[in-house]
Amino acid sequence: MDMMVILFSIGASFLLAVLLGPLFIPLLRRLKFGQQIRTEGPQSHLKKGGTPTMGGIIIMIALMIAFIRFADKTPEFWVLLTASLGFGLVGFLDDYIKIVFKRSLGLTARQKLFGQLLFSIIVCAMLYNMNHSTEITVPGTSWGFDLGWFYYPLVVIIMFAASNSVNFTDGLDGLLAGTSAIAFGAFTIVALQTSAHESAVFSAAMIGAVLGFLVFNAHPAKVFMGDMGSLGIGGGIAAVAILTKTELLLIVIGGVFVLEMLSVIIQVTSFKTRGKRIFKMSPIHHHFELVGWSEWKVVTVFWLVGLLFAAVGIMFVI
């Protein structure tokens, strides 16, 4: 595959995001699309109240334009676009309700679940129509097994887990933008190694889009991506893992996202069963804030951990 296509995809989406930022951020501010800060969160975050959110629209537009321009319009192309924009749409509705109706929780859990399930089923139908392999391969080995029809419920689980764990990670300035850029960087290499052209172009376009967004989202953030961005990123990374047949490798490359989700599960389970909290606050990035780490220190350490997970993941395919 021509590496120039990958580089152009990264460069184009990065440039688009950087150009879109100064257009959308003032607009979001004028529309009073400001972040509602939860009072039960870290007190240091209260000063972020009113910072424009729904900045995920910058990521999604930059991604979409670059991806459409440089990718071939194959069935894989439509799966990737549906997964990312579909989950991004669910996030958009969640953000819109939070902001316009001043409801800090946005969509109800049942409504968000329905939206994610709907687009997961659509992706499953698209995979079935393109005769996508239902085999699962263990990373780093030649061992695999065919799940048959049971593969499709697994796809739904992967998309749910990926989108929600990525969503949990979006809690500090630049945290998700940086960790997702690293994860998609690893998946670009994975896609190139597995000759998955569209997945490589999509991952490259996502790298540029989130890095361009990071220009405005780095501490102190001028804009937040909101659920539109985090769910869109999560849906996209799940689709890439599925199409490159590295479903299990997603657990490694997305290690930071897995840790964030596990911290929430452990915290909730411990509190409900024993009445005790394991962490000062979950997701776990807030725990480190509350033990005295600066926001920037938490973010940079998590970026480094993400790099480590990505490097380990790449080792399984090269």
Side-chain angles (χ1 to χ4, degrees):
M1 178 181 174
D2 189 358
M3 277 300 297
M4 291 303 293
V5 175
I6 296 298
L7 295 176
F8 278 131
S9 297
I10 296 173
S13 57
F14 176 83
L15 182 60
L16 283 166
V18 170
L19 293 175
L20 289 170
L23 297 176
F24 276 99
I25 294 173
L27 176 62
L28 293 171
R29 189 176 289 114
R30 283 199 299 272
L31 292 173
K32 300 187 185 301
F33 281 9
Q35 179 71 36
Q36 303 290 317
I37 304 298
R38 294 182 304 156
T39 56
E40 65 270 23
Q43 295 302 297
S44 61
H45 287 205
L46 294 178
K47 61 186 179 183
K48 298 183 181 184
T51 301
T53 189
M54 287 183 70
I57 192 170
I58 297 170
I59 298 173
M60 291 294 107
I61 291 176
L63 165 73
M64 183 174 62
I65 293 174
F67 186 48
I68 290 173
R69 170 61 183 83
F70 293 106
D72 296 328
K73 309 309 180 287
T74 64
E76 289 81 4
F77 168 89
W78 295 108
V79 168
L80 290 160
L81 211 57
T82 300
S84 189
L85 296 186
F87 274 74
L89 175 60
V90 175
F92 170 81
L93 294 174
D94 191 45
D95 289 335
Y96 187 81
I97 291 171
K98 286 177 185 176
I99 296 163
V100 175
F101 297 101
K102 307 299 181 184
R103 281 170 42 184
S104 61
L105 296 179
L107 290 172
T108 65
R110 184 172 298 179
Q111 290 168 337
K112 187 180 287 188
L113 183 69
F114 174 79
Q116 292 173 308
L117 180 61
L118 173 63
F119 285 104
S120 296
I121 291 173
I122 292 172
V123 167
C124 285
M126 297 172 79
L127 293 172
Y128 176 77
N129 287 333
M130 58 186 273
N131 295 316
H132 182 69
S133 172
T134 55
E135 185 178 11
I136 293 291
T137 303
V138 178
T141 73
S142 58
W143 185 61
F145 47 95
D146 196 336
L147 293 177
W149 279 98
F150 291 104
Y151 178 76
Y152 298 104
L154 178 62
V155 167
V156 174
I157 292 171
I158 291 171
M159 298 198 71
F160 266 87
S163 60
N164 287 301
S165 60
V166 168
N167 184 241
F168 285 139
T169 308
D170 185 28
L172 301 177
D173 296 354
L175 177 57
L176 178 54
T179 51
S180 62
I182 291 165
F184 276 107
F187 270 114
T188 301
I189 296 172
V190 169
L192 289 171
Q193 289 290 324
T194 56
S195 300
H197 178 274
E198 278 64 55
S199 293
V201 175
F202 178 88
S203 297
M206 187 67 90
I207 293 170
V210 294
L211 288 179
F213 179 77
L214 184 59
V215 171
F216 311 102
N217 184 238
H219 186 71
K222 299 179 180 66
V223 64
F224 301 136
M225 69 173 68
D227 282 6
M228 182 181 186
S230 60
L231 291 182
I233 290 170
I237 201 169
V240 169
I242 291 163
L243 289 175
T244 55
K245 300 305 301 173
T246 53
E247 297 93 342
L248 297 180
L249 196 60
L250 176 58
I251 299 172
V252 180
I253 292 177
V256 169
F257 311 138
V258 174
L259 292 176
E260 294 276 19
M261 181 172 65
L262 286 177
S263 71
V264 174
I265 293 172
I266 292 170
Q267 185 85 324
V268 172
T269 302
S270 177
F271 186 74
K272 287 188 174 181
T273 57
R274 303 188 306 147
K276 295 182 179 180
R277 292 179 172 87
I278 303 298
F279 308 106
K280 290 182 178 295
M281 185 176 291
S282 66
I284 197 169
H285 55 258
H286 290 318
H287 170 83
F288 289 106
E289 275 192 291
L290 294 179
V291 299
W293 288 21
S294 69
E295 184 169 350
W296 183 241
K297 180 179 179 180
V298 176
V299 170
T300 52
V301 168
F302 274 55
W303 285 354
L304 290 173
V305 173
L307 277 170
L308 177 61
F309 279 123
V312 172
I314 292 170
M315 289 173 60
F316 282 108
V317 296
I318 60 175

